Amino acid sequence: MTDRTEAPVARTVLQQCVRAKLQVRPAEEGAEARYVQIERGMVIYICFFKGATEEILPKMVSALLNIRLCESDSGKLVSVLELPGNLLIVPQATLGGKVKGRAMQYHANIGKEDGLRLYNGFTDLCEKEMKSAVATLEVQHGTYGNRQVLQLDTNGPYTHLMEF
Amino acid sequence: MTDRTEAPVARTVLQQCVRAKLQVRPAEEGAEARYVQIERGMVIYICFFKGATEEILPKMVSALLNIRLCESDSGKLVSVLELPGNLLIVPQATLGGKVKGRAMQYHANIGKEDGLRLYNGFTDLCEKEMKSAVATLEVQHGTYGNRQVLQLDTNGPYTHLMEF
């Protein structure tokens, strides 16, 4: 999917984890920070580009949940659905950056409002697909637009790039 | 750098960290696993493609150490050299994967021998540049070909993709 000549509408980076913990609300006066956490599974960092629409979401979710990148106990590569593993989705607009001199520019990124709508659609669809496969699986996700304070514990991140 | 039409010869993913710990030798009978660790700084996951040569290394190292992706205490974006921050380099051949059906294929990846040579050249050059800028900076790196058992603690990974 990375060999297409037209520009991608979404970019994801995938990492395997044994545990991952993400802040979903920073500490405020009178309220401690809130976190979500998953055990073994996959972390999806995601960014949408200009031109992305809801149409792409089913294809993305199907590809991401079914690609065989997770190492089973027997050492075989299986999908996160087959593992079965949990999912942590991290909004990551920085993934859309393009180098300009010594700085990164984000001109190709989708606008915030559309980005939030697509992000919500993506997380909802992931949750629906994961839960309908294995009801006990956890799908957690970060808060769009927030700083993604993250702790990741991996037995090998096996970092992959997938563009759509 | 990601808008070139010719295929890249190297792919990197960058994450900011407040601490990162990486296994560099697995446990063996009679010997515990060995780890390296950095405090605040940047993690570089790196993969070389077929066609990469030593010629690309100075340009890569210069770009990676000077791109302004690190948040200073005042909130300004500065380079890892300017921060000054530490560096953890993680060999990550999986970054070269291309989707084929439900599997990843790595046909564009450089061969292991050439990959090791380039990886060593890359880590050496990073170390030289970092140490000559700020002698106390740590440059740590994973063992090429090993499983990269990693713990990452971030205050926002600000995940970026840079291709060369």
Side-chain angles (χ1 to χ4, degrees):
Chain A
M1 297 192 178
T2 54
D3 63 345
R4 302 187 329 171
T5 48
E6 66 262 56
V9 295
R11 178 172 290 159
T12 61
V13 165
L14 314 176
Q15 292 188 315
Q16 306 304 311
C17 71
V18 292
R19 181 169 301 174
K21 183 181 171 183
L22 181 71
Q23 187 180 279
V24 291
R25 201 175 66 186
E28 288 171 18
E29 208 177 333
E32 289 189 358
R34 276 178 51 194
Y35 294 86
V36 292
Q37 184 170 319
I38 65 165
E39 305 297 314
R40 189 176 179 186
M42 189 162 79
V43 179
I44 302 179
Y45 305 90
I46 185 166
C47 168
F48 291 99
F49 292 107
K50 279 174 186 151
T53 64
E54 264 82 359
E55 272 175 43
I56 194 75
L57 298 180
K59 183 185 158 188
M60 284 182 72
V61 171
S62 172
L64 290 164
L65 301 191
N66 289 293
I67 183 102
R68 298 192 185 105
L69 298 180
C70 307
E71 196 181 22
S72 71
D73 290 334
S74 65
K76 194 181 157 197
L77 287 179
V78 298
S79 72
V80 69
L81 280 174
E82 289 165 340
L83 190 57
N86 305 288
L87 207 61
L88 176 66
I89 304 162
V90 183
Q92 196 78 157
T94 51
L95 268 182
K98 201 152 97 171
V99 177
K100 169 89 175 183
R102 291 182 55 202
M104 279 281 175
Q105 293 186 333
Y106 304 92
H107 297 324
N109 281 29
I110 200 163
K112 286 191 178 174
E113 204 169 307
D114 287 338
L116 173 59
R117 192 170 36 80
L118 288 171
Y119 178 70
N120 287 339
F122 179 80
T123 56
D124 287 351
L125 195 52
C126 282
E127 188 154 351
K128 189 178 142 207
E129 295 293 319
M130 292 281 282
K131 296 282 187 186
S132 75
V134 185
T136 55
L137 287 183
E138 291 253 31
V139 178
Q140 299 289 357
H141 64 88
T143 307
Y144 188 86
N146 272 19
R147 173 188 288 268
Q148 305 298 318
V149 176
L150 174 72
Q151 284 179 289
L152 183 70
D153 193 349
T154 84
N155 198 18
Y158 297 113
T159 314
H160 283 92
L161 172 70
M162 274 180 81
E163 293 181 335
F164 298 89
Chain B
M1 299 192 178
T2 53
D3 63 344
R4 302 187 330 172
T5 48
E6 66 264 55
V9 295
R11 177 172 290 159
T12 61
V13 164
L14 313 175
Q15 293 188 315
Q16 307 302 312
C17 71
V18 292
R19 181 168 301 173
K21 183 180 172 184
L22 181 71
Q23 187 180 282
V24 291
R25 201 176 65 188
E28 288 171 18
E29 208 178 333
E32 290 189 356
R34 276 178 52 194
Y35 294 85
V36 292
Q37 183 171 321
I38 64 165
E39 305 297 315
R40 188 175 178 188
M42 189 162 78
V43 179
I44 302 180
Y45 305 89
I46 186 166
C47 168
F48 291 99
F49 292 107
K50 279 174 187 152
T53 65
E54 263 83 359
E55 272 176 44
I56 193 75
L57 298 180
K59 183 185 159 191
M60 284 183 72
V61 171
S62 173
L64 291 164
L65 301 191
N66 288 293
I67 183 101
R68 298 193 185 103
L69 299 179
C70 307
E71 196 180 24
S72 71
D73 289 334
S74 66
K76 194 181 156 197
L77 286 178
V78 299
S79 72
V80 69
L81 280 173
E82 290 165 339
L83 190 56
N86 304 289
L87 205 62
L88 176 66
I89 304 163
V90 183
Q92 195 78 155
T94 50
L95 268 182
K98 199 153 97 171
V99 176
K100 169 88 175 185
R102 291 182 56 202
M104 279 281 176
Q105 292 186 334
Y106 304 92
H107 298 324
N109 281 28
I110 200 164
K112 286 192 177 171
E113 203 168 310
D114 287 339
L116 172 59
R117 193 169 36 80
L118 288 170
Y119 177 70
N120 287 339
F122 179 80
T123 58
D124 287 351
L125 195 53
C126 281
E127 188 154 353
K128 190 178 144 208
E129 295 293 318
M130 292 281 282
K131 295 282 186 186
S132 75
V134 186
T136 55
L137 287 183
E138 291 253 31
V139 178
Q140 300 289 357
H141 64 88
T143 307
Y144 187 86
N146 273 20
R147 173 188 288 268
Q148 305 298 318
V149 176
L150 174 73
Q151 284 178 290
L152 183 70
D153 192 350
T154 84
N155 197 19
Y158 296 113
T159 314
H160 283 92
L161 172 70
M162 275 179 81
E163 294 180 334
F164 298 89

